[in-house]
């Protein structure tokens, strides 16, 4: 706890430090810790949010999920946390009804889900070549690929051509790849076009599922995709933050937990 009054820049640095460590901050806690008024903290959080350094939410702020650093390719993301993603996939697969039309978004956890789909008749639509490759040898899956230019960082088609082709579909289930996941801030994405594409698929789909590792929970990316209450199912790790799980459940979201390792 500070013993002397802090300068503005010092307060901001300490708040960002806490955000980096905890993923979220609450204004009353910060006010007590930094020995300033809650009004001062709210102004600090507004300043940091305006600078793109956090996501302001009611009562506090969330850590921003920024674009991946060079080297964070789709292939590298697929190899990270493989066991955790496999357990999430096992928990998510029972949500896929036989005979349904499913849109599977790009993402390493979603790739694990696609790979784990059993021998059941499905129509799967995807905008991600890696997802399509995982399904091509499944004889009961009718595969439809949304085309266009591939966005290098996301590994998916998200441009104008892909948006036009979306108008032909009406999925029963959308397995959405999320960058930020929070009960207040909702589901968010790192890139503007990516968020626009995901919003459109969600609007066309009857139900929406997100499967996530814990590191994304309680964070926000720059562009909003979906309000938390618009999510149908959240598939999380067994030790997801209980406050987040309860907050999603209170908004009508079915929260499923993966098995323990």
């Amino acid at each position: 706890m500070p013993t002397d009054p802090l300068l503005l820049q010092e307060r901001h640095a300490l708040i960002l430090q806490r955000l980096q460590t905890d993923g979220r901050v609450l204004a009353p806690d910060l006010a007590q810790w930094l020995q300033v008024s809650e009004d001062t903290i709210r102004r600090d959080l507004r300043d940091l949010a305006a600078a793109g350094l956090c996501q302001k939410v009611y009562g506090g702020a969330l850590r921003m999920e920024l674009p991946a650093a060079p080297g964070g390719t789709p292939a590298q993301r697929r190899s990270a946390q493989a066991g955790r993603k496999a357990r999430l996939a096992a928990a998510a697969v029972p949500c896929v009804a036989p005979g349904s039309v499913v849109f599977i978004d790009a993402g390493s956890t979603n790739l694990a889900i696609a790979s784990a789909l059993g021998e059941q008749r499905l129509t799967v639509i995807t905008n991600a070549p890696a997802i399509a490759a995982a399904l091509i040898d499944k004889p009961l899956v009718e595969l439809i690929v949304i085309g266009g230019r591939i966005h290098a960082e996301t590994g998916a088609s998200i441009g104008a051509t892909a948006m036009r082709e979306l108008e032909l579909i009406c999925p029963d289930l959308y397995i959405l790849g999320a960058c930020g996941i929070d009960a207040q801030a909702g589901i968010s994405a790192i890139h503007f076009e990516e968020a626009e594409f995901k919003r459109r698929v969600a609007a066309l789909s009857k139900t929406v599922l997100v499967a996530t590792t814990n590191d994304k929970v309680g964070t926000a990316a720059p562009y909003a995709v979906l309000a938390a209450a618009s999510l149908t199912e959240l598939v999380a790790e067994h030790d997801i933050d209980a406050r987040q799980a309860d907050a999603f459940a209170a908004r009508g979201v079915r929260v499923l937990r993966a098995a323990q390792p």
Side-chain angles (χ1 to χ4, degrees):
M1 180 182 293
T3 56
D4 298 309
L6 293 169
L7 298 173
L8 176 67
Q9 292 86 349
E10 292 175 318
R11 282 201 316 274
H12 285 188
L14 287 169
I15 291 169
L16 289 173
Q17 217 171 54
R18 179 68 67 88
L19 273 168
Q20 188 61 35
T21 302
D22 298 344
R24 58 169 51 233
V25 291
L26 298 174
D29 293 347
L30 288 177
Q32 183 178 16
W33 179 49
L34 299 175
Q35 298 182 347
V36 294
S37 70
E38 287 189 38
D39 284 341
T40 296
I41 292 297
R42 282 192 283 269
R43 285 195 296 272
D44 288 342
L45 295 179
R46 281 197 297 269
D47 291 345
L48 292 171
L53 298 173
C54 72
Q55 171 76 36
K56 184 78 172 65
V57 297
Y58 181 78
L62 301 172
R63 181 180 64 219
M64 290 291 285
E65 289 298 303
L66 300 176
T73 64
Q76 288 169 325
R77 292 195 294 273
R78 286 196 291 272
S79 65
Q81 305 174 338
R84 295 164 66 184
K85 292 170 185 176
R87 288 188 289 274
L88 287 168
V93 163
C95 299
V96 181
S100 59
V101 177
V102 184
F103 192 108
I104 304 182
D105 206 359
S108 53
T109 301
N110 287 357
L111 177 59
I113 294 172
S115 300
L117 288 172
E119 296 301 316
Q120 55 180 322
R121 194 168 298 281
L122 291 170
T123 297
V124 177
I125 308 164
T126 187
N127 60 330
I131 301 287
L135 295 168
I136 193 69
D137 291 326
K138 293 184 183 287
L140 298 181
V141 173
E142 181 182 357
L143 182 60
I144 300 171
V145 180
I146 297 291
R149 184 178 65 86
I150 301 298
H151 186 267
E153 287 184 40
T154 62
S157 298
I158 55 175
T161 300
M163 289 290 285
R164 282 195 301 272
E165 293 182 6
L166 284 184
E167 301 308 316
L168 303 174
I169 70 171
C170 185
D172 297 303
L173 172 65
Y174 176 28
I175 301 178
L176 191 164
C179 302
I181 298 156
D182 182 78
Q184 286 191 35
I187 309 305
S188 50
I190 287 173
H191 302 284
F192 177 81
E193 278 189 331
E194 177 190 20
E196 184 180 27
F197 183 90
K198 292 174 190 290
R199 278 195 299 273
R200 186 59 187 146
V201 182
L204 292 167
S205 302
K206 296 174 185 174
T207 58
V208 182
L209 178 149
V210 167
T212 181
T213 48
N214 284 342
D215 54 304
K216 293 183 180 180
V217 177
T219 69
Y223 301 104
V225 174
L226 200 67
S230 299
L231 190 62
T232 310
E233 290 161 320
L234 175 65
V235 181
E237 295 191 78
H238 74 280
D239 55 350
I240 181 178
D241 184 300
R243 294 169 301 175
Q244 282 283 328
D246 291 345
F248 271 101
R251 288 163 170 79
V253 180
R254 182 183 177 214
V255 179
L256 305 173
R257 286 176 170 83
Q260 294 188 35

